[in-house]
Amino acid sequence: MINLSLKRVTSVWIIAILVVFVITAIFGITMRFNQGGDIELSPVTFFSLMTAHGVTMVGIWSVAGMMAVNYLMARYVKVSTAVNVFALVLTVIGLVMLWTSTFVGYFHAGWTFLYPLPFFVAWESWATPLFLYSIAIFGIGWTVWTVAMLMQIYKKYSLAQSFAWQHFKRGYLVETPPFILITTVSLIGILICLITAVILLVLLFAEYYSNGTFTNDALLIKNLTYFFGHTIINEALYLGVATLYELFPEVSGRPKFKTTWYVALAWNCTLVFVLTAFFHHLYMDFVQPVGLQLVGQFASYFASLPSAAVTVFSIVILVYKNPIKWSLTNTLFFIGVIGWIIGGFGAVIDATISNNFVLHNTLWVPAHFHTYNAMGNVLFSLAFFYWVANEFAGTKVVPRSEKLRIGLLLIGGFGFVLMFYIAGAYSIPRRYSVYPDELALGRNLASYGGWFATIYVIAILLFLGEIVNKCLKVFSPRSSAAA
Ligand code: HEM
């Protein structure tokens, strides 16, 4: 059941995520303008910004998905507000530690903190352990929350039912809603990532505190790091897809989506392939067995194809020649699916080994992941935020500035990622603070990218004002009296 305390904690999450998002997006715009030569930052400041930007973005959009499914899960099973608050408090503590390590301690090893970089201390010596502890704090909060949500699902659905296996046979008695299926698949994936992060941190701390008596295996650490980092942000997107399955038909005035055998099959396949796609980050590690590189290529194809195909199919069937009540919520979901598909297509191009020889570590990489994050996952969450804020405020009014906001979001968002794609196609490398004269094209594109991103953030600010206002309504005395 959705009670007032769940509404309140959800409101706090939404306001915090949106505010932190705008600040962190400004870090990104600052980086783009520095790459464009419009402003001048020291390399240390640039890479500190890049590290804080990367970890914070991945973190907030992972918890945004968890918070949204936690809220909607209350329609089917009991959820714990105490665990939700616990995860929120630990996320805030983790964020303060993270930003202290990057902005006070100048830790700047990138969001992947790829081994052995964290141990080549080019910053305050305390910043390395503080950064690693911040990841541990996030990990504790999110692991407890993920386990709590899964346990609630298993109180109502058996393991087989949570994966919708009964839908492969005829005459089943219990129907698994697509929302429960996709949430289970994604939460299990997230849990596996978080367990991997524990192993990774234990190994890194073991070396840090060993006084030189223990050294890690670089390839093992790279595998663990990418398994954790690459997979968690992918799973976060699927949590957004779960909210889409739950809300898109409802807000469009159409019947609910049903789990069919092919929906069940697609999401079961997604669980396996998302967990094995990360090998595409190791194509240039030639000591890695060739078989694993092939697993990386084919898992990358199959990780996105089944889930995207059934989602697009379901949405096309729902929208095609049917009367749809369009609102900001389903418009944002719809554009989000387009961003997901374009970004996924960009990822599949890069994950093809022969292409990766050309595109590896170019701006094509931030191009594809920013497309399915900034124009996919963020929009799925924004759709949920907008819907739930209207629920809190008890309004369904569509404000007049809708076209303006959507227009700015489309121009700003797709313009911003297009600059990355063009630069990637011209082999401009990623993670350069400033581009040398030989890469002057990168400079111009970065500057244009910064301006497009500014338009995108203006659109987000226009959403933020309205959403925050409506979210605050759950703290009014009238809400307490009604509860
Ligand atoms: C207006 C929005 C955003 C702007 C302007 C922006 C800008 C940037 C820039 C300039 C970089 C460095 C690219 C390079 O040269 O390699 C970057 C990296 C990154 N961004 Fe964003 N970004 C935005 C939104 C997002 C979102 C929504 C996510 C969500 C996950 C995200 C995640 C990342 C990650 C993980 C990195 C890699 C950091 C690293 O290499 O250590 N960004 N971003």
Side-chain angles (χ1 to χ4, degrees):
M1 211 191 77
I2 296 170
N3 55 27
L4 185 62
S5 50
L6 177 60
K7 287 183 182 173
R8 285 186 169 164
V9 65
T10 304
S11 285
V12 177
W13 269 118
I14 292 175
I15 297 168
I17 288 170
L18 283 175
V19 171
V20 173
F21 177 47
V22 170
I23 298 171
T24 316
I26 293 171
F27 296 167
I29 293 172
T30 312
M31 286 190 281
R32 250 2 222 148
F33 282 139
N34 189 68
Q35 291 172 325
D38 305 286
I39 56 171
E40 209 176 306
L41 301 174
S42 76
V44 169
T45 308
F46 177 90
F47 288 107
S48 298
L49 278 173
M50 191 185 82
T51 306
H53 169 88
V55 184
T56 309
M57 285 294 194
V58 171
I60 59 173
W61 294 111
S62 300
V63 283
M66 289 169 74
M67 177 270 291
V69 296
N70 183 92
Y71 186 87
L72 293 171
M73 253 171 72
R75 290 176 161 192
Y76 300 94
V77 296
K78 213 168 154 269
V79 293
S80 160
T81 309
V83 178
N84 195 336
V85 172
F86 172 77
L88 175 62
V89 171
L90 262 62
T91 304
V92 173
I93 296 173
L95 189 67
V96 172
M97 290 165 68
L98 170 73
W99 284 11
T100 308
S101 76
T102 50
F103 296 126
V104 184
Y106 303 111
F107 181 85
H108 56 273
W111 93 279
T112 45
F113 54 100
L114 198 57
Y115 178 84
L117 267 186
F119 300 134
F120 280 91
V121 180
W123 40 75
E124 299 291 342
S125 56
W126 51 264
T128 293
L130 187 65
F131 175 85
L132 295 177
Y133 280 118
S134 75
I135 305 289
I137 294 290
F138 289 138
I140 294 168
W142 304 346
T143 306
V144 171
W145 199 15
T146 307
V147 171
M149 282 197 266
L150 283 170
M151 275 167 52
Q152 293 304 341
I153 291 179
Y154 290 123
K155 278 189 187 155
K156 178 161 176 188
Y157 300 92
S158 69
L159 185 72
Q161 287 166 353
S162 71
F163 286 109
W165 288 342
Q166 77 278 21
H167 288 265
F168 296 132
K169 294 180 277 181
R170 283 172 196 277
Y172 47 84
L173 297 174
V174 177
E175 225 176 271
T176 307
F179 172 76
I180 293 292
L181 165 66
I182 304 169
T183 300
T184 306
V185 163
S186 312
L187 288 180
I188 289 184
I190 288 181
L191 187 61
I192 299 173
C193 292
L194 292 170
I195 293 169
T196 310
V198 173
I199 301 170
L200 173 67
L201 287 174
V202 166
L203 288 172
L204 292 177
F205 278 125
E207 178 164 342
Y208 183 77
Y209 289 114
S210 77
N211 289 326
T213 53
F214 170 71
T215 317
N216 276 293
D217 178 283
L219 190 61
L220 172 66
I221 297 290
K222 185 166 180 185
N223 270 284
L224 291 172
T225 307
Y226 276 100
F227 179 86
F228 156 60
H230 174 269
T231 315
I232 199 163
I233 190 62
N234 270 274
E235 299 288 3
L237 184 130
Y238 294 129
L239 291 175
V241 178
T243 62
L244 177 154
Y245 269 80
E246 182 67 15
L247 294 178
F248 193 92
E250 187 176 312
V251 297
S252 308
R254 306 291 310 155
K256 265 181 161 325
F257 285 136
K258 291 233 174 288
T259 302
T260 55
W261 68 266
Y262 56 84
V263 170
L265 181 66
W267 285 99
N268 277 269
C269 290
T270 301
L271 174 66
V272 178
F273 293 122
V274 171
L275 295 178
T276 40
F278 82 96
F279 283 122
H280 63 223
H281 282 281
L282 288 108
Y283 289 157
M284 296 297 152
D285 296 274
F286 300 113
V287 286
Q288 182 100 327
V290 175
L292 293 183
Q293 316 289 35
L294 292 173
V295 169
Q297 173 166 316
F298 290 105
S300 304
Y301 296 168
F302 296 128
S304 44
L305 284 180
S307 55
V310 294
T311 307
V312 170
F313 179 70
S314 306
I315 287 186
V316 169
I317 296 284
L318 188 134
V319 171
Y320 186 66
K321 288 196 175 166
N322 281 323
I324 295 291
K325 282 199 256 164
W326 284 105
S327 64
L328 261 186
T329 304
N330 49 9
T331 309
L332 286 169
F333 274 131
F334 196 82
I335 302 170
V337 172
I338 297 172
W340 173 30
I341 302 302
I342 298 175
F345 198 65
V348 163
I349 292 176
D350 191 22
T352 303
I353 293 173
S354 51
N355 300 339
N356 194 267
F357 280 110
V358 181
L359 296 173
H360 194 87
N361 269 351
T362 65
L363 285 173
W364 191 272
V365 182
H368 82 254
F369 72 70
H370 278 95
T371 315
Y372 60 64
N373 281 308
M375 292 308 283
N377 195 12
V378 171
L379 301 199
F380 293 154
S381 290
L382 211 56
F384 169 78
F385 293 175
Y386 187 76
W387 170 82
V388 86
N390 278 305
E391 293 280 307
F392 293 163
T395 51
K396 298 267 185 283
V397 193
V398 179
R400 258 185 251 136
S401 58
E402 187 175 341
K403 279 193 187 127
L404 172 73
R405 286 189 283 191
I406 292 292
L408 290 175
L409 198 70
L410 284 171
I411 296 170
F414 283 120
F416 159 61
V417 294
L418 183 65
M419 297 305 112
F420 272 147
Y421 279 113
I422 298 175
Y426 279 98
S427 294
I428 307 291
R430 69 181 288 204
R431 288 178 170 162
Y432 267 46
S433 160
V434 281
Y435 298 114
D437 288 342
E438 293 80 354
L439 302 174
L441 174 69
R443 242 182 260 155
N444 295 338
L445 292 169
S447 194
Y448 303 147
W451 287 113
F452 278 120
T454 307
I455 297 174
Y456 173 86
V457 170
I458 291 171
I460 297 289
L461 281 171
L462 294 176
F463 283 107
L464 188 146
E466 189 190 346
I467 292 173
V468 169
N469 228 339
K470 289 181 171 168
C471 278
L472 289 173
K473 298 259 189 285
V474 290
F475 295 98
S476 70
R478 245 182 58 201
S479 289
S480 312

